[in-house]
Amino acid sequence: MNDLIPPEDITKWIPGRKTIDSTAQGWRGLTLMGYRYAGLEVEIPPMRDYMIVVYQDADTSMRRRCNGPWQTEKLRPGSISLLTRGEQSTWQWDDAINVRHIYLGHSAISETAAQIFDRDLASIDIADRVCTTDNMIQFCLNMLEQEYSGFGVGECLFIDALRTQLAVHLIRNYADIAIKETHIGTLGSNLRKVVSEYIEESLGDRIHLEDLASIAGLSPFHFSRRFKLEFGVTPHAFVIQRKIKKAKALLLKRDLPLKAIAADCGFSDQSHMNRTFRKVLGITPAEYRRSA
C-alpha cells in the first residue's frame, strides 16, 4: 500500500490538542497518542497502522461512513472504536471528546498471525467498528499509560509483551480467521541455559522480547508461553528478578553510588530502581543497603 499515514501525521487530517505522544519512547510497533477534539467531521486517510480509539469522557453520537451509508453509535466513557489500516473513511461527532489512540503496526499482526494461526495477513480481515466495549483493550491501555508516565518497571520488554498481547487479542476477537491449535512445549535445558546467560550478560542494556525469541528460534508469542512453562514467570518478570538480584549484590559494596548501580543493572535511572525495589520488595535500595 502506498502513501499510508503514520500515527505522528494524523493531526494533518484530524485537528486537535495533543495530550500524549509516545513516539519518543522508542516503542517498537506500538504507539500511544492522546488528543482533545472539538466536534468535527473529518476524512481519515488510509493509515499505516491499525488504530484503536478509547474514549475517556465521551457522551456523543459517532457517525462513520466508508463506501456506503452512515453508521451511527452512541459513545460513552470507555467506548472503543477500531479502524483498520489502509482504508479511507469519514467520521463525524458533535461534542468535544477526549481520546487515547493505540496504533498497532502491521508487522505485529502479520507475524503473530503467521506464527499462531499458520496464515499470512492476506487471509485476515479486521473490520472497522464504530463502537464496542473491551476490557482487555482497556487493561492494555492502562498499562501503556503507566509505562508512558514512567511508573512501569519493565520498559521495552514489557512493551514488547503488551504489543504481542494486543495483536493476539485483536486477531482472536476481531479478525475473520479460524484459530489453529498449537502444541506448547518447553525450551529445553540447552535453550534455557543460553537464554538465561544472554539475559544475565545483557542486564545493563535494553532487552527486547524479539531478541530473546530469536535466540530460541521461536515467535515472541510461542517463546513467551514456553518461557513461562520453563521458568514459572513471564520473560518480563524474570528480567526484573535478575535486575533486582544483581542490584542487591552491588548494594553490599558500600562505596558504589546508587546511581551507578541503577545504570549497571539496566534501570533507566535511580528513581526507576527505587520504584522497582519498592514495588517488588516493599523497600527502597537505600533501605535494603542499610538493613544488609
Side-chain angles (χ1 to χ4, degrees):
M1 296 181 185
N2 297 321
D3 300 323
L4 296 181
I5 306 304
E8 56 268 25
D9 289 346
I10 193 65
T11 52
K12 298 176 182 177
W13 284 266
I14 316 177
R17 181 171 64 86
K18 186 182 294 184
T19 57
I20 292 177
D21 184 352
S22 74
T23 53
Q25 308 296 108
W27 298 350
R28 295 199 294 193
L30 193 64
T31 305
L32 176 64
M33 296 284 198
Y35 293 99
R36 183 72 181 173
Y37 295 127
L40 292 170
E41 179 175 328
V42 293
E43 296 284 342
I44 296 182
M47 298 298 298
R48 183 193 69 191
D49 301 339
Y50 297 93
M51 182 166 132
I52 304 168
V53 183
V54 184
Y55 301 90
Q56 304 297 292
D57 53 7
D59 191 5
T60 188
S61 292
M62 179 66 68
R63 291 172 286 279
R64 171 199 175 271
R65 182 173 63 189
C66 180
N67 299 322
W70 286 97
Q71 294 175 269
T72 303
E73 296 280 357
K74 184 69 173 180
L75 297 181
R76 307 193 188 287
S79 295
I80 293 170
S81 293
L82 300 178
L83 285 76
T84 194
R85 68 187 295 268
E87 184 174 86
Q88 186 170 344
S89 56
T90 303
W91 294 71
Q92 193 272 334
W93 61 95
D94 297 327
D95 305 293
I97 54 175
N98 183 31
V99 299
R100 299 288 185 267
H101 289 180
I102 302 173
Y103 294 90
L104 191 62
H106 172 66
S107 61
I109 295 289
S110 61
E111 292 170 8
T112 301
Q115 293 294 333
I116 301 174
F117 309 118
D118 198 24
R119 304 279 186 90
D120 59 22
L121 192 63
S123 65
I124 301 171
D125 179 25
I126 299 178
D128 282 6
R129 296 205 179 193
V130 179
C131 181
T132 187
T133 56
D134 192 308
N135 291 333
M136 177 57 72
I137 289 177
Q138 186 64 59
F139 169 79
C140 290
L141 171 63
N142 293 340
M143 295 299 99
L144 288 172
E145 289 183 325
Q146 286 188 33
E147 289 296 311
Y148 176 79
S149 301
F151 294 113
V153 296
E155 295 189 289
C156 57
L157 192 62
F158 187 56
I159 293 297
D160 291 344
L162 276 177
R163 185 187 62 245
T164 300
Q165 186 173 2
L166 267 173
V168 171
H169 182 70
L170 288 184
I171 293 170
R172 282 184 180 274
N173 294 277
Y174 300 101
D176 183 15
I177 188 171
I179 298 175
K180 179 180 178 181
E181 295 295 329
T182 56
H183 171 70
I184 306 173
T186 60
L187 293 175
S189 58
N190 290 336
L191 275 180
R192 177 189 173 103
K193 183 175 183 293
V194 171
V195 171
S196 298
E197 289 177 350
Y198 176 84
I199 290 174
E200 292 292 341
E201 294 170 359
S202 307
L203 286 177
D205 304 319
R206 286 193 168 193
I207 301 176
H208 287 279
L209 186 61
E210 286 92 342
D211 298 331
L212 298 177
S214 67
I215 294 173
L218 297 169
S219 70
F221 179 76
H222 279 147
F223 174 80
S224 295
R225 299 176 78 184
R226 293 190 181 189
F227 187 98
K228 189 169 184 179
L229 284 175
E230 190 77 42
F231 291 91
V233 294
T234 64
H236 158 245
F238 183 83
V239 170
I240 294 302
Q241 289 176 359
R242 307 313 293 175
K243 286 177 182 285
I244 290 178
K245 182 179 180 180
K246 182 177 181 180
K248 287 166 69 175
L250 293 177
L251 286 167
L252 299 179
K253 301 178 180 180
R254 304 279 176 173
D255 57 327
L256 281 179
L258 295 179
K259 184 177 181 180
I261 293 175
D264 196 31
C265 295
F267 296 102
S268 56
D269 52 33
Q270 185 177 330
S271 296
H272 183 200
M273 183 172 71
N274 288 344
R275 292 194 303 272
T276 305
F277 260 68
R278 187 174 293 279
K279 182 172 183 178
V280 177
L281 301 179
I283 58 175
T284 65
E287 289 169 340
Y288 176 82
R289 171 175 271 178
R290 286 195 295 269
S291 68

